[in-house]
Amino acid sequence: MLFAFICKDKTDHLQLRLDVRPDHVTFLNGLNAEGTLKFAGPFLDNDGKPCGSLVVVEAADKKAAADLAAKDPYAKAGLFESVEIRPWNWVFNNPASA
């Protein structure tokens, strides 16, 4: 089952995001290597600067997805103001259905 993490950064925390980014990328690369990560990237503000994240993962259930989200170095560093975890259905342009 797929789950989307819709993460909103705390205001004025861009430097924290930049500082923790290498660990975050390593974490996502690990999820990708095991086939758990489907796609990810930052939301951008009006100035083109990152202000949140969209991460889609495959997990057994919402609890397993929440456990993954909690392990993200950004979450551990306290970057996010909020994290919404929602089941998601990849209908269009899903490479798995090609």
Side-chain angles (χ1 to χ4, degrees):
M1 184 170 208
L2 297 178
F3 292 89
F5 305 161
I6 303 163
C7 310
K8 181 179 178 184
D9 291 3
K10 292 177 181 171
T11 304
D12 299 324
H13 278 64
L14 179 58
Q15 190 58 53
L16 177 61
R17 174 179 273 274
L18 297 175
D19 292 345
V20 178
R21 187 174 189 281
D23 292 335
H24 170 72
V25 169
T26 298
F27 172 73
L28 292 181
N29 281 334
L31 293 181
N32 191 49
E34 65 188 39
T36 301
L37 179 68
K38 297 306 173 188
F39 61 84
F43 289 110
L44 304 176
D45 66 15
N46 292 334
D47 297 322
K49 294 182 178 156
C51 61
S53 297
L54 173 62
V55 178
V56 175
V57 299
E58 186 168 1
D61 54 34
K62 191 170 184 176
K63 182 188 178 321
D67 290 345
L68 279 176
K71 291 177 184 174
D72 186 323
Y74 280 166
K76 288 181 174 183
L79 174 63
F80 299 132
E81 176 181 300
S82 64
V83 176
E84 184 178 358
I85 300 171
R86 300 191 58 181
W88 188 69
N89 185 20
W90 194 345
V91 176
F92 293 97
N93 296 324
N94 181 344
S97 64

